[in-house]
Amino acid sequence: MKEVVNLTKLFINESLGLSLFFYNQKFNRKEFYKQLFTLIIVPVALIPAFFMYVSLMSATYFGLTMINQTSVFLSIGYIMATVLIIVFGVMYILSEFYFSDNIEELIPLPISQRKLIVAKFLSILVFEYIFAAFIFGPILIIYGVGQGMGLLYVLLSFLVFLTIPVLPLSLMTALIMLMMQSASLKGRKDMLQIVFVFIGLVVIFGVQIWFTSQLGNGDEVDFQLLMNTMLTNNEGFLNIIGYIMPTSFLMAWTLNKITLMSFAWVGALLGITLLSGALMVAIGERVYLKSIVSGKTIKKGKQLSGAQRNKALGKKSHGAMAVFTMDLRLLLRTPVYFFNNISVVIIAPLCILLSVSFIEIPPEDLQGMQDFFRAMPLLINYLLIAFFIFFGGTSATTATTFSREGKASWLTRMIPVTARDQIVGRTGVAMLIQSLGIVFTIISIQFIFPLTLSTLLVTVILGILGSLPILLFGLFMDMNRPLLNWDNPQKAIKNNMNVVITLFVGMAYTGLLIGVCGLLGYFINPLLGYGMFMMISVAISVVFYKVINNRLEAEFLNFES
Amino acid sequence: MLKLEHISKTYGNKNEKAVDDVSFEVYPGEIFGFVGPNGAGKTTTIKMIVSLLAPNSGKITINGIDNQNDILAAKKQFSYVPDSPELFEKIKGIEYLKFMADVYQVPAVERQERIEKYLDIFEIKDAVNDPIGSFSHGMKQKLALVGALIHDPQVFILDEPMVGLDPKASFELKKIMRDHCDRGRSVFFSTHVLDVAEKICDRIAIIKKGKIIEVGTMAEIREKAGSQESLENIFLELTE
């Protein structure tokens, strides 16, 4: 037990970089303040979102009170928390169990496989409990306060809360271990991770689309109708999830009405949870380390003849092209990077396309929408521009460009490539990804109504120009504070404050730019609005370009200081 | 060819100097060995030479170019292989070599000839189309060496180059180093293998706690130490 606790502490310490944090406190104050800033700013930045979430949940509860259906409230929260735990948990499980470097050091040590699995699972669980506290905690409190529940409810809800992340995570871990076993044998670990997360996203998105389609054919939807549909339709969302996830019934029976039976139901819930954990450990003991060891065999490329090697070496390319190609290859071939930087440009347009195909919009409504947008070309243009900038701003490609290289960044800093080539190559990758998103979006939108040539030209040009300052700002951030010391590529993105800062600054800038130029265009002249948009975007881009161009070589010297 | 003048470097703790007023010069055609105990400041010094770290004071010139005033021009004069070459794991060996050839602007014919030559010498021709992640430590080291030799640098800088290499590769590397210097270029490398340093270096610098405590040919070092013993024994005496 002590060994498991120590291992768990070690994994948590490694995930959070606690030892380094305290070392920096004593010996590297500059780095310490950077980390401290991150620790403070992230929770603070999330406060508004949390309050919005609590308000939404309170409104949902009062909505349900009005139709006398409060009993469904806890089930909604339970299912939502479970789905979110699965969504975010998949990457954590894969990272901790399969993509963390620590396993290489631990395998030779005399630690039983069971202890290793349990400790790794517990280290994930700690973070998932914190996550669940923010998602499911408010739901338990709102319901308890609303129903005037007593101490027994507090005790029972605490026990229910304890089970929340364990069951979905155990089952997901077991499933991943089984899938990784077959994947590792074929040396296809990276590809499997991509497939796995895509399947997860498609399932979640499919459920959401299906859920929306259950509401009717484009009629005006209100909350009450949504609830009624769920409650009256036997094939409804809750029942289906309930059948897939029977524990949601146990949870509801435990907490909806406190009786002696509640203890039996919570006991059953705890029992099932423990069983799921035991099942995961039992499966893990059979397959985990075996698949890790065999997974070390990376699929090799075919041997090249002299002529093939010469062809692969090619002719002399420009420095910017070399940087561009290398950055793109790293993005495409590292699953974590692929999902964080590229998937959004595929998923967002796919959402539009699937929504259109699943939800049948009556022809008269579609005609009405088309007429409305034809009458307001300015509105549709700026909406599309905002959407296109979204691909640039959210991809975090430039905001993590040096961080993604991690310990191999010495190479980037040592080679004689001009700052201009670095900027062009790295921003070029981000723009390519953004352009893909733009193309996919335009194709998807064509299914609703064809865009005019002028709209296409204006939105594509301004969409790309408008995102350029955000991309360069991201590059500027990563140049100043790259996150290079990681043992797992997920940290280069998820633990990187540059992503959050670029996202917030980018959103604020986009909102302001579109607001000001849109108003100018609406009240004075559309061309004036577009002209102003271009001028501001170009001016800010030039400023950032010059700053980065002047500072990059010097900043490279500070990456390890 | 490589000149360090009064180089100093501190990290977080300002009172403790990792490198303290280091000066020496590497001449054309010379293999220069840099030896010292763990934590003596060898890697920090090398990182300052190859523009991975900025010195707090002092001046470094490579082939006459100040590496702080004209970083890019200085970078073109050398190539560097670190002690543990962390490379992009998802990239294939051949893609890495193309990248290196491109950033150093090596023409097509030269890159093909050099890469063929060094892939043969280090016996990694068959693995060059595999992802670097599948390479062993030694193979990564060999790939990094091939990548560093693509542009035939004026100064070849290596940090602990023999670590991880098999005996044949070590032997070939020593030959390459000598050939390189015979063509009027220079090699600067750090090592713990004092036997190697003694045998192949034209001159040696010994660093201890950030300070150069001895620099010269083996004969000069022996003379100063007043002993005819091996470099290992002299080193142990000097660094105790």
Side-chain angles (χ1 to χ4, degrees):
Chain A
M1 186 63 190
K2 198 179 164 192
E3 207 172 4
V4 171
V5 173
N6 286 340
L7 272 172
T8 310
K9 275 189 201 165
L10 179 78
F11 294 143
I12 293 170
N13 183 348
E14 200 187 18
S15 293
L16 296 173
L18 290 177
S19 294
L20 186 66
F21 179 71
F22 291 118
Y23 172 85
N24 286 339
Q25 186 187 12
K26 279 185 183 169
F27 301 109
N28 194 347
R29 282 289 169 139
K30 194 178 150 194
E31 203 53 38
F32 169 73
Y33 288 124
K34 270 189 198 174
Q35 288 172 313
L36 193 67
F37 174 74
T38 309
L39 277 177
I40 295 169
I41 202 75
V42 171
V44 169
L46 288 173
I47 288 173
F50 180 67
F51 274 105
M52 274 173 65
Y53 169 73
V54 173
S55 312
L56 182 74
M57 285 299 114
S58 305
T60 307
Y61 177 78
F62 286 113
L64 288 166
T65 316
M66 286 165 70
I67 56 169
N68 202 25
Q69 290 292 348
T70 45
S71 58
V72 84
F73 181 67
L74 286 174
S75 301
I76 293 174
Y78 185 83
I79 290 158
M80 190 173 65
T82 308
V83 169
L84 288 174
I85 284 166
I86 291 172
V87 172
F88 291 106
V90 170
M91 289 305 269
Y92 277 116
I93 295 165
L94 282 164
S95 294
E96 187 57 56
F97 278 91
Y98 290 94
F99 293 92
S100 172
D101 286 348
N102 61 32
I103 195 70
E104 301 224 359
E105 292 151 33
L106 292 167
I107 285 177
L109 299 179
I111 302 170
S112 78
Q113 190 171 192
R114 178 182 294 188
K115 285 175 184 165
L116 212 57
I117 293 167
V118 172
K120 278 192 174 279
F121 186 75
L122 286 177
S123 72
I124 301 170
L125 209 55
V126 169
F127 295 108
E128 292 290 341
Y129 269 124
I130 297 169
F131 181 67
F134 284 102
I135 299 294
F136 197 54
I139 288 168
L140 286 170
I141 295 168
I142 290 167
Y143 185 80
V145 172
Q147 297 289 309
M149 295 289 199
L151 271 177
L152 273 180
Y153 172 83
V154 176
L155 174 70
L156 289 168
S157 53
F158 176 71
L159 293 174
V160 167
F161 176 78
L162 285 182
T163 67
I164 275 256
V166 183
L167 183 68
L169 280 183
S170 309
L171 298 180
M172 280 309 290
T173 308
L175 191 64
I176 286 172
M177 281 173 170
L178 287 172
M179 288 190 74
M180 283 309 243
Q181 187 198 19
S182 53
S184 299
L185 292 173
K186 296 179 182 72
R188 292 269 182 198
K189 199 169 64 161
D190 288 350
M191 189 188 281
L192 190 89
Q193 193 182 14
I194 291 176
V195 171
F196 217 111
V197 182
F198 252 115
I199 290 172
L201 289 169
V202 167
V203 167
I204 289 151
F205 186 60
V207 168
Q208 205 181 344
I209 294 283
W210 173 86
F211 182 64
T212 316
S213 70
Q214 291 296 298
L215 296 172
N217 295 327
D219 295 336
E220 195 181 318
V221 173
D222 63 15
F223 186 76
Q224 197 165 333
L225 176 65
L226 184 143
M227 285 299 136
N228 283 341
T229 311
M230 283 199 312
L231 297 169
T232 53
N233 184 354
N234 286 334
E235 298 293 314
F237 180 65
L238 278 180
N239 280 344
I240 284 189
I241 295 287
Y243 289 124
I244 298 168
M245 202 188 298
T247 49
S248 70
F249 289 131
L250 287 175
M251 182 281 312
W253 294 335
T254 305
L255 294 178
N256 277 343
K257 201 175 170 193
I258 309 291
T259 62
L260 263 181
M261 278 307 285
S262 296
F263 289 93
W265 298 130
V266 83
L269 197 56
L270 286 166
I272 289 172
T273 305
L274 284 174
L275 272 177
S276 70
L279 176 76
M280 182 270 296
V281 174
I283 290 174
E285 280 190 300
R286 282 176 185 275
V287 300
Y288 177 52
L289 284 189
K290 218 191 285 176
S291 69
I292 288 283
V293 174
S294 53
K296 291 290 157 207
T297 320
I298 296 169
K299 196 172 170 61
K300 303 234 173 196
K302 63 170 184 166
Q303 281 190 15
L304 299 179
S305 66
Q308 285 170 320
R309 271 194 302 276
N310 288 345
K311 196 180 167 199
L313 286 170
K315 291 177 188 160
K316 197 163 70 174
S317 302
H318 197 273
M321 184 49 87
V323 172
F324 173 88
T325 313
M326 185 59 83
D327 201 25
L328 188 63
R329 280 183 174 141
L330 286 174
L331 269 177
L332 292 174
R333 294 182 193 172
T334 315
V336 173
Y337 301 159
F338 182 88
F339 274 99
N340 284 286
N341 298 288
I342 301 180
S343 62
V344 68
V345 302
I346 301 168
I347 290 166
L350 195 72
C351 286
I352 299 174
L353 199 61
L354 285 178
S355 305
V356 175
S357 12
F358 271 88
I359 302 167
E360 285 175 33
I361 304 172
E364 62 272 19
D365 286 2
L366 189 63
Q367 189 59 46
M369 275 166 68
Q370 288 172 350
D371 291 345
F372 173 72
F373 283 122
R374 275 196 197 99
M376 299 281 287
L378 199 67
L379 181 69
I380 192 164
N381 284 1
Y382 277 107
L383 274 176
L384 274 177
I385 291 167
F387 202 68
F388 294 163
I389 295 177
F390 165 80
F391 292 128
T394 54
S395 76
T397 310
T398 51
T400 54
T401 185
F402 300 116
S403 301
R404 289 195 302 268
E405 293 176 356
K407 289 172 188 139
S409 80
W410 67 271
L411 201 62
T412 292
R413 291 177 286 140
M414 190 264 301
I415 53 176
V417 173
T418 60
R420 189 197 61 198
D421 289 348
Q422 291 279 5
I423 298 169
V424 172
R426 288 168 193 276
T427 313
V429 171
M431 288 176 84
L432 175 75
I433 295 168
Q434 184 194 21
S435 305
L436 279 177
I438 291 175
V439 171
F440 291 151
T441 306
I442 289 171
I443 293 170
S444 303
I445 288 175
Q446 292 300 324
F447 286 90
I448 309 174
F449 52 83
L451 297 170
T452 61
L453 187 65
S454 65
T455 294
L456 276 175
L457 278 174
V458 167
T459 55
V460 170
I461 293 171
L462 294 191
I464 291 175
L465 260 185
S467 62
L468 200 51
I470 305 176
L471 298 179
L472 289 169
F473 176 72
L475 191 63
F476 171 78
M477 287 303 298
D478 209 41
M479 169 185 91
N480 281 293
R481 42 191 321 280
L483 184 69
L484 304 172
N485 199 11
W486 46 259
D487 54 358
N488 178 337
Q490 170 135 317
K491 289 184 186 169
I493 312 277
K494 296 290 178 204
N495 293 12
N496 199 333
M497 268 304 287
N498 298 340
V499 177
V500 183
I501 295 170
T502 306
L503 189 68
F504 279 117
V505 171
M507 276 163 61
Y509 151 80
T510 309
L512 208 64
L513 185 68
I514 287 183
V516 169
C517 298
L519 287 174
L520 263 181
Y522 184 75
F523 286 110
I524 303 174
N525 185 331
L527 287 177
L528 184 70
Y530 298 142
M532 182 64 87
F533 190 107
M534 282 177 88
M535 271 175 55
I536 295 173
S537 300
V538 170
I540 298 175
S541 301
V542 169
V543 170
F544 272 119
Y545 172 82
K546 281 191 178 296
V547 172
I548 299 168
N549 196 34
N550 290 337
R551 292 290 312 150
L552 189 62
E553 278 173 8
E555 288 301 333
F556 276 165
L557 292 167
N558 295 329
F559 274 25
E560 284 182 56
S561 295
Chain B
M1 193 148 268
L2 169 66
K3 193 174 179 185
L4 278 76
E5 296 168 83
H6 307 292
I7 293 296
S8 291
K9 174 75 186 169
T10 54
Y11 286 107
N13 189 347
K14 300 282 180 200
N15 300 323
E16 211 172 292
K17 285 185 174 174
V19 173
D20 191 359
D21 197 27
V22 163
S23 299
F24 58 80
E25 191 170 353
V26 180
Y27 304 117
E30 184 174 68
I31 299 182
F32 192 97
F34 196 41
V35 298
N38 290 333
K42 297 189 295 294
T43 299
T44 301
T45 306
I46 290 178
K47 282 185 174 177
M48 287 189 284
I49 296 171
V50 299
S51 299
L52 291 179
L53 280 174
N56 297 112
S57 60
K59 186 179 171 187
I60 298 171
T61 45
I62 306 168
N63 214 12
I65 300 163
D66 187 330
N67 83 341
Q68 287 166 82
N69 285 343
D70 195 349
I71 299 179
L72 213 63
K75 282 177 176 177
K76 287 178 183 164
Q77 307 305 314
F78 66 82
S79 66
Y80 163 62
V81 180
D83 52 348
S84 173
E86 300 272 358
L87 304 173
F88 303 123
E89 301 267 307
K90 306 286 178 191
I91 301 300
K92 290 179 176 182
I94 192 83
E95 292 166 347
Y96 169 76
L97 295 176
K98 177 173 165 42
F99 174 74
M100 293 300 279
D102 284 341
V103 296
Y104 284 101
Q105 293 291 291
V106 182
V109 178
E110 287 176 29
R111 69 171 68 179
Q112 287 166 12
E113 280 172 7
R114 285 181 195 150
I115 286 173
E116 284 296 306
K117 177 183 160 188
Y118 292 119
L119 286 180
D120 261 338
I121 289 175
F122 290 115
E123 298 177 328
I124 52 168
K125 217 171 221 174
D126 291 346
V128 80
N129 198 35
D130 298 340
I132 296 173
S134 71
F135 284 24
S136 67
H137 177 84
M139 282 166 75
K140 280 183 195 166
Q141 187 100 344
K142 289 174 182 177
L143 186 71
L145 285 166
V146 178
L149 290 162
I150 280 180
H151 71 111
D152 196 18
Q154 288 294 325
V155 186
F156 190 21
I157 300 167
L158 306 109
D159 194 358
E160 300 286 356
M162 307 303 167
V163 176
L165 289 184
D166 55 56
K168 183 171 183 295
S170 279
F171 173 76
E172 293 292 351
L173 178 61
K174 284 180 261 180
K175 239 168 66 178
I176 290 168
M177 288 157 81
R178 178 46 64 198
D179 289 349
H180 199 73
C181 292
D182 289 348
R183 289 187 291 117
R185 289 154 198 251
S186 307
V187 174
F188 174 79
F189 78 107
S190 74
T191 184
H192 281 302
V193 190
L194 298 173
D195 194 34
V196 170
E198 188 172 357
K199 277 184 186 150
I200 69 167
C201 291
D202 299 306
R203 284 197 306 138
I204 291 164
I206 301 173
I207 185 170
K208 182 189 172 187
K209 291 184 180 167
K211 285 179 184 285
I212 297 288
I213 52 170
E214 208 59 78
V215 62
T217 61
M218 251 332 278
E220 285 167 350
I221 290 174
R222 280 199 184 104
E223 194 183 315
K224 279 182 199 167
S227 108
Q228 285 304 306
E229 287 185 276
S230 66
L231 177 63
E232 191 175 24
N233 288 338
I234 297 171
F235 175 85
L236 289 173
E237 277 171 30
L238 287 171
T239 55
E240 254 175 23

